[in-house]
Amino acid sequence: MSITDARTTEKRTKKSQKAYELRLMAAKIGAINWVIEISLLGGLVIFAKLPSWFWFLYTGIGILCASSFYILHKTGISERFKDPTLALPHLLIVCANQFLGLFLLPQLNFLFLIRIIEGAAYGLFLLTVRQYFILFLTFAIGLAAFIIFGASIAFPTSTLAVKILLYISLILTIGRLIFGSIYLDFLRSRLVATNKDIKESEARFRALTDLSSDWYWEQDADFRITRFESGRASKDLPPEMLIGKRLFESGITVKTPGGWEAHKAQIMAHQSFRDLVLHFDMPDNHDLYISVSGEAMIDNDGVLKGYRGVARDISEQKRADARIQHLATHDGLTGLPNRVMYNQMLSVAVQSALRYGGSFAVLFIDLDRFKFINDTLGHEAGDQLLKEISTRFRQTLRASDIVARLGGDEFVVLVPQVHEKKEIAVIARKIVDAAIAPFLLQGQECRVTASVGIAIFPDDAQDELTLTKSADIAMYAAKEAGKNNYQFFSAQVRSYALERMALETNLRQALERNEFTVYYQAKRDLASGAISGVEALLRWQNPELGTISPAQFIPIAEETGMIVPIGKWVLRTACRQNMAWLREGLPPVCMAVNLSVRQFTDDHLLLDIAAILEETGMDPRLLELEITEGLVMRDPAKAVTLLAAIKKMGVRLAIDDFGTGYSSLAQLKNFPIDTLKVDRSFIREVATNASDKAITEAIIAMGKTLCMTVIAEGVETEEQEDFLRQNSCDQMQGYYFSKAVLPEEFATLLRTHHAIPLPEDSSSTQFPA
């Protein structure tokens, strides 16, 4: 059924309902006529001595027909006929009775003929053209039979009483015809007005339906869709898909709790329903969701006529909800599950393992050198790297394994159903190998490595939080073991983690508690034997942990960012101490202070240096800042700019641990460097190892060529000192001359060894007393 057919059916139904009311009123008028006519016939029987059997016959037929019509109307059976008001059978029976009277009582044939004409007149109001044709054909046959077999029609002459009754009957018949016609015409005008109101209401409803994006629908008593339409939404869901079907038998998926069974229980109980969500799998792979609400149509007798309601397209809302849900549970950059979803899946895995037994593993992954690439090439390159590494991990892992991104460069893998550790080791090795393959970022080949920590449930932990933390701890152990590897969680790893946690906790309070001390190690001029400078070295003495090596706490300080305030404190303390020695009358010496990676990239570095120099009053030429080779090579352009600004202050610059990193000589010559410090790893065996000799000689020669001062670190033997002196190394630093000592001890050392004066008329520099 099309929309047009449905609209036509609706109009016919409403019009038929009004017509039914009109015809029912006409039937009531006919019933009144019949009562009057029976009364008149009764008078004729009494006064005109007509046969009483005719009155009983006529009355019985009338009562029988009226009872039949009443039963048909009351039970609703008449509504199943094409003529639900039974107007045609009613008029046919009336006319048949009149024809019966024509033949049985010829003396009253005029009266019965008037009654037939009256029935024909009512037929004009009550019948359709086709029905009236049938009534007219019946009249023609009856009149033809009367003319052929009956007597002539004449006004009967009898007694005065009979004449009076006949006149009264004729007057009443004509009056009934006139007033009945007037009343029927009044009903007709009411019907026309009602139809006009219906059309206007229908037009308003149709206008609203056309403007609305919702559907309007109706069902019959068997819950079959008889109407489903909307001005715009019908393009998305053609009514032909639903007309004539029951929703719960059409293959449509319901997304409401309880499913179709719950919905069928509602409609069987004639209850209203709201927001029944239906899912249509459209032919173009387009998912369509509609929300349906409806109410039962109950007649006055409590009989269900069907359902009607509205429906609206909620596909966009569903897609938006799905998108929001996806964003809430997935990483926006890589599309991997995020921390929220990982925690949910981990909780499910724990509950399943506790209920059914079994074991699973969590692999915590951290990318090494990611921050370096992100800082050097920019965030776009970092994002591209994360996308590609995520793709590699997905391709490397099995379909049953779950990889998630927790944030930054941290990933986690959930491996279900673990039987042996070697299975996890194979997976971890694949992850490490996948990470180390080169990336092409912004036209440059880059590499990162992965450190993987592994924790197994229930051996290493029995809850989600502890399990993830154990894998995290194992990952840090992998980093400490040299990175680019994996480590299983163990008691030794736990012990290391607790120790590291204790270090980090105490380190955060070390500055406030004045637990740091600066020691000073002298630098010696190899040509004259005089003290050429001093390096400030940080030491930490904790009341609970004792003396902690810089190799232990400096990486933690660097990682946590605490190295910035600590480094600033070291710089201020060293400058103050240098000025204190000057006030004691000791000769000026150049103070060397190390700058960490975090300090070098700190935005306030230049301001801090200037402020400390101004605060302490120290000559900038007495300060030398040491940076590592790899630090300046991270971003050479930025490093040149920053180093030039520091150099402009008058501060000296040195490259520490030279030779251990990779640097381009073409770049190195552009840096305003004053000093190269040969790393102690080359000095340790320089007297015996040919390779170390060659490297050290090359560094000294390069430094001389670039007009730099060359200092050797870690000199501990006379043989090492002799080798350096023979190869024209400028200065040395190490235990052979002096270890790092307290300020008082260095002051004593400075009194017994003269210092080399500053170049460029340093003797004329005035220092505060």
Side-chain angles (χ1 to χ4, degrees):
M1 180 184 292
S2 65
I3 295 178
T4 303
D5 294 338
R7 291 177 179 173
T8 303
T9 302
E10 181 185 12
K11 290 180 181 178
R12 287 178 178 176
T13 301
K14 291 182 178 179
K15 189 173 182 180
S16 176
Q17 180 68 21
K18 294 300 179 182
Y20 172 78
E21 295 176 1
L22 177 65
R23 292 167 183 174
L24 187 62
M25 183 61 69
K28 291 178 181 179
I29 295 175
I32 295 173
N33 290 341
W34 204 307
V35 172
I36 295 173
E37 190 169 342
I38 289 174
S39 301
L40 290 173
L41 286 176
L44 290 172
V45 169
I46 295 173
F47 294 102
K49 304 300 182 181
L50 294 178
S52 58
W53 60 265
F54 180 78
W55 185 88
F56 286 108
L57 175 64
Y58 197 86
T59 303
I61 293 174
I63 294 174
L64 178 63
C65 292
S67 300
S68 300
F69 291 152
Y70 177 78
I71 293 172
L72 290 175
H73 283 297
K74 195 67 177 177
T75 58
I77 298 175
S78 62
E79 296 181 7
R80 299 185 181 180
F81 301 108
K82 292 184 178 180
D83 182 16
T85 60
L86 301 178
L88 179 61
H90 173 81
L91 291 176
L92 288 176
I93 292 173
V94 169
C95 292
N97 282 338
Q98 305 307 316
F99 279 121
L100 181 65
L102 283 176
F103 284 100
L104 295 179
L105 294 174
Q107 62 271 36
L108 299 178
N109 54 30
F110 181 77
L111 180 63
F112 291 127
L113 187 60
I114 293 297
R115 188 72 180 87
I116 291 172
I117 295 172
E118 182 183 1
Y122 281 118
L124 291 175
F125 292 94
L126 301 178
L127 302 178
T128 63
V129 175
R130 183 178 299 177
Q131 292 173 334
Y132 194 80
F133 177 77
I134 295 174
L135 181 65
F136 179 80
L137 186 63
T138 303
F139 289 166
I141 294 173
L143 289 174
F146 177 78
I147 293 172
I148 294 173
F149 301 104
S152 60
I153 299 174
F155 189 83
T157 57
S158 183
T159 63
L160 180 61
V162 172
K163 290 181 179 181
I164 292 173
L165 290 174
L166 289 175
Y167 277 120
I168 292 173
S169 176
L170 180 61
I171 292 171
L172 289 174
T173 300
I174 296 172
R176 287 197 309 267
L177 183 61
I178 294 172
F179 288 105
S181 299
I182 292 173
Y183 185 69
L184 287 177
D185 187 65
F186 168 71
L187 292 178
R188 181 186 296 278
S189 65
R190 283 183 58 189
L191 178 62
V192 171
T194 302
N195 286 338
K196 181 180 179 181
D197 292 340
I198 291 174
K199 289 180 179 179
E200 291 177 354
S201 176
E202 174 70 18
R204 287 194 299 270
F205 173 78
R206 186 63 49 219
L208 291 175
T209 303
D210 291 340
L211 290 174
S212 174
S213 60
D214 293 352
W215 290 277
Y216 175 78
W217 59 269
E218 289 182 0
Q219 288 177 331
D220 59 18
D222 294 327
F223 309 115
R224 297 183 184 277
I225 299 291
T226 59
R227 181 177 181 182
F228 196 89
E229 60 183 84
S230 173
R232 289 182 292 178
S234 58
K235 299 176 182 178
D236 300 324
L237 184 61
E240 294 80 14
M241 291 182 60
L242 297 175
I243 296 297
K245 299 179 182 179
R246 296 184 180 95
L247 289 178
F248 48 81
E249 293 178 354
S250 58
I252 303 169
T253 305
V254 63
K255 296 296 184 180
T256 305
W260 284 122
E261 293 302 321
H263 175 66
K264 285 193 287 185
Q266 278 186 306
I267 60 178
M268 291 300 179
H270 303 171
Q271 296 177 353
S272 300
F273 59 89
R274 293 183 62 84
D275 299 325
L276 179 73
V277 179
L278 306 181
H279 172 231
F280 296 80
D281 190 4
M282 304 304 285
D284 58 351
N285 294 324
H286 170 66
D287 289 331
L288 178 66
Y289 292 88
I290 66 171
S291 175
V292 183
S293 299
E295 63 176 5
M297 295 185 292
I298 308 293
D299 63 11
N300 295 332
D301 298 322
V303 178
L304 178 69
K305 296 298 183 181
Y307 267 82
R308 63 186 171 192
V310 293
R312 58 189 178 90
D313 187 349
I314 59 171
S315 301
E316 288 298 327
Q317 176 185 335
K318 282 291 184 181
R319 282 190 282 270
D321 291 343
R323 178 61 179 165
I324 292 172
Q325 179 65 21
H326 185 272
L327 291 175
T329 56
H330 288 76
D331 176 51
L333 178 64
T334 63
L336 296 177
N338 61 10
R339 186 183 295 272
V340 174
M341 189 172 183
Y342 161 72
N343 288 333
Q344 294 174 355
M345 293 186 294
L346 181 60
S347 178
V348 171
V350 169
Q351 296 301 322
S352 178
L354 290 174
R355 177 177 298 179
Y356 303 108
S359 179
F360 67 90
V362 170
L363 284 68
F364 202 102
I365 308 168
D366 186 84
L367 301 181
D368 309 316
R369 297 186 73 252
F370 170 75
K371 188 177 184 306
F372 170 74
I373 293 176
N374 199 52
D375 293 343
T376 304
L377 299 181
H379 294 296
E380 290 186 4
D383 290 347
Q384 183 183 347
L385 189 151
L386 290 173
K387 290 179 183 178
E388 292 190 19
I389 202 74
S390 300
T391 302
R392 289 185 186 181
F393 287 163
R394 279 194 294 255
Q395 294 173 346
T396 299
L397 296 169
R398 302 170 300 181
S400 59
D401 300 332
I402 301 168
V403 57
R405 182 189 176 208
L406 302 185
D409 60 344
E410 292 183 343
F411 296 82
V412 65
V413 175
L414 186 63
V415 180
Q417 299 178 354
V418 173
H419 301 290
E420 296 181 353
K421 273 191 173 183
K422 63 181 181 181
E423 299 177 21
I424 308 302
V426 171
I427 295 174
R429 173 48 59 189
K430 288 182 178 180
I431 291 173
V432 171
D433 293 342
I436 201 173
F439 295 90
L440 189 62
L441 303 175
Q442 297 181 357
Q444 299 186 41
E445 184 178 286
C446 304
R447 292 178 185 268
V448 295
T449 57
S451 297
V452 183
I454 306 169
I456 299 176
F457 181 92
D459 299 341
D460 299 328
Q462 285 76 45
D463 62 87
E464 302 95 301
L465 183 61
T466 308
L467 188 67
T468 303
K469 186 63 178 177
S470 299
D472 188 19
I473 291 171
M475 182 273 294
Y476 277 106
K479 282 185 175 294
E480 289 295 323
K483 304 179 181 179
N484 192 34
N485 70 93
Y486 61 88
Q487 291 288 328
F488 284 91
F489 183 79
S490 63
Q492 293 79 7
V493 170
R494 184 192 299 274
S495 176
Y496 162 78
L498 294 175
E499 179 183 348
R500 188 182 186 280
M501 187 180 299
L503 283 174
E504 183 176 332
T505 302
N506 284 276
L507 186 60
R508 293 186 181 277
Q509 302 173 348
L511 266 181
E512 299 175 4
R513 296 176 178 176
N514 297 318
E515 295 176 2
F516 289 121
T517 305
V518 178
Y519 279 59
Y520 301 92
Q521 187 174 37
K523 299 177 184 177
R524 186 182 184 185
D525 184 78
L526 288 172
S528 64
I531 293 177
S532 56
V534 63
E535 181 179 1
L537 300 172
L538 182 63
R539 298 291 184 264
W540 180 22
Q541 180 72 29
N542 183 266
E544 297 178 0
L545 304 177
T547 303
I548 298 123
S549 168
Q552 289 181 276
F553 72 83
I554 292 297
I556 297 176
E558 182 77 25
E559 181 183 332
T560 58
M562 289 185 286
I563 193 65
V564 175
I566 292 174
K568 186 177 178 180
W569 178 85
V570 172
L571 180 60
R572 179 181 288 107
T573 302
C575 291
R576 284 177 176 174
Q577 184 59 61
N578 204 3
M579 295 306 296
W581 289 329
L582 286 173
R583 284 192 292 269
E584 293 177 14
L586 296 174
V589 290
C590 185
M591 177 66 71
V593 180
N594 287 281
L595 283 183
S596 69
V597 175
R598 284 288 185 97
Q599 285 179 279
F600 192 73
T601 57
D602 184 55
D603 295 335
H604 301 90
L605 177 61
L606 293 175
L607 295 176
D608 289 342
I609 295 172
I612 290 173
L613 288 174
E614 183 178 358
E615 175 190 333
T616 59
M618 192 175 80
D619 189 331
R621 293 176 299 165
L622 293 179
L623 178 62
E624 183 174 68
L625 297 179
E626 296 185 359
I627 55 178
T628 62
E629 181 182 3
L631 189 151
V632 296
M633 294 308 300
R634 285 191 171 190
D635 189 348
K638 183 178 179 181
V640 167
T641 303
L642 183 57
L643 293 177
I646 295 174
K647 189 67 177 175
K648 189 175 180 180
M649 294 181 183
V651 177
R652 294 173 59 83
L653 295 169
I655 291 186
D656 193 17
D657 302 331
F658 188 79
T660 58
Y662 168 79
S663 61
S664 167
L665 296 180
Q667 292 284 357
L668 186 61
K669 71 179 182 180
N670 296 324
F671 296 134
I673 301 300
D674 300 289
T675 304
L676 286 183
K677 298 185 72 175
V678 184
D679 188 69
R680 65 181 68 247
S681 62
F682 302 118
I683 304 301
R684 187 176 298 115
E685 298 181 4
V686 72
T688 58
N689 188 290
S691 297
D692 289 342
K693 285 182 180 181
I695 292 173
T696 303
E697 290 173 354
I699 294 174
I700 294 171
M702 182 186 68
K704 293 293 185 179
T705 302
L706 295 176
C707 301
M708 297 179 184
T709 300
V710 181
I711 302 176
E713 297 181 289
V715 179
E716 298 178 356
T717 65
E718 184 180 356
E719 289 80 6
Q720 294 170 349
E721 184 183 47
D722 291 341
F723 174 83
L724 294 170
R725 187 179 291 109
Q726 292 169 7
N727 285 275
S728 303
C729 182
D730 297 309
Q731 301 173 20
M732 56 83 71
Q733 177 183 349
Y735 281 13
Y736 181 67
F737 176 67
S738 173
K739 63 179 182 179
V741 295
L742 291 170
E744 298 80 9
E745 297 178 64
F746 182 78
T748 302
L749 184 65
L750 194 56
R751 289 188 183 97
T752 58
H753 292 75
H754 65 280
I756 296 178
L758 289 175
E760 301 179 5
D761 299 328
S762 62
S763 59
S764 63
T765 304
Q766 299 295 319
F767 299 102

